[in-house]
Amino acid sequence: MLGSVCEYCGCQSLAAIDELTREHDTVVNLIGEVRAARAAADTGGMADLARRIAAVLGPHTEVEEKGLFPLLAGEFPDQVAALEAEHDAIEAVLGQAAAGTPTDPAWPDRFVRILDVLRDHILKEQDGVFPAALISLSGADWDAVDAVRARVGSPTASPAGGPARR
């Protein structure tokens, strides 16, 4: 499990952050499975895991980019832009496995490298974005984030769902 500031700052007391954090935990666990598949030279298994990660990150990213990030962009424009750029880079590599196992022999290494970016990205959100949001956002702001979640759903409710993007 991923340890984070949210475990002691109170972030997880908000349903929106609690769900985003649980999604992060799911992704971190899947990253561990990818590393095992890579060690076994199981590219097909890696591709399947890429699709599973994308299924979690689709609605997750939508909640962040349509709900949370716009509310923080005024105060943290550079940080939000960097996080969105990381979303795009991660999605691009995951998307290469959307239709099956990539035939590019460089894909497995590219996938493992982007998972390192994803892992760091998760830490930035949990140790920076979520605590900042807890301090900065109002009740109406959280209602707006919750409305995005209601619209896009939860990957735990529909694990076969694909990426939902801006």
Side-chain angles (χ1 to χ4, degrees), residues 1-12 17-28 60 64 68-69 83 118-134:
M1 270 304 185
L2 177 68
S4 74
V5 167
C6 289
E7 291 175 357
Y8 59 85
C9 76
C11 289
Q12 291 178 343
I17 290 180
D18 183 56
E19 186 154 10
L20 292 168
T21 299
R22 282 186 285 115
E23 291 163 356
H24 283 165
D25 292 343
T26 298
V27 167
V28 168
H60 176 94
E64 289 178 344
L68 189 58
F69 290 178
L83 291 168
L118 177 54
R119 184 74 167 86
D120 289 342
H121 178 90
I122 288 170
L123 292 174
K124 288 177 203 171
E125 289 182 350
Q126 291 196 187
D127 294 346
V129 173
F130 296 169
L134 181 66

Side-chain angles (χ1 to χ4, degrees), residues 31-47:
I31 289 171
E33 291 183 40
V34 170
R35 299 207 188 288
R38 179 67 173 141
D42 181 4
T43 304
M46 291 176 70

Side-chain angles (χ1 to χ4, degrees), residues 40-59:
D42 181 4
T43 304
M46 291 176 70
D48 178 61
L49 288 160
R51 289 185 292 277
R52 290 174 58 194
I53 291 169
V56 173
L57 291 181

Side-chain angles (χ1 to χ4, degrees), residues 84-110:
E84 288 178 334
E86 289 174 356
H87 282 172
D88 291 343
I90 293 161
E91 182 181 84
V93 175
L94 293 175
Q96 293 167 354
T101 303
T103 57
D104 179 355
W107 180 80
D109 289 334
R110 190 167 46 253

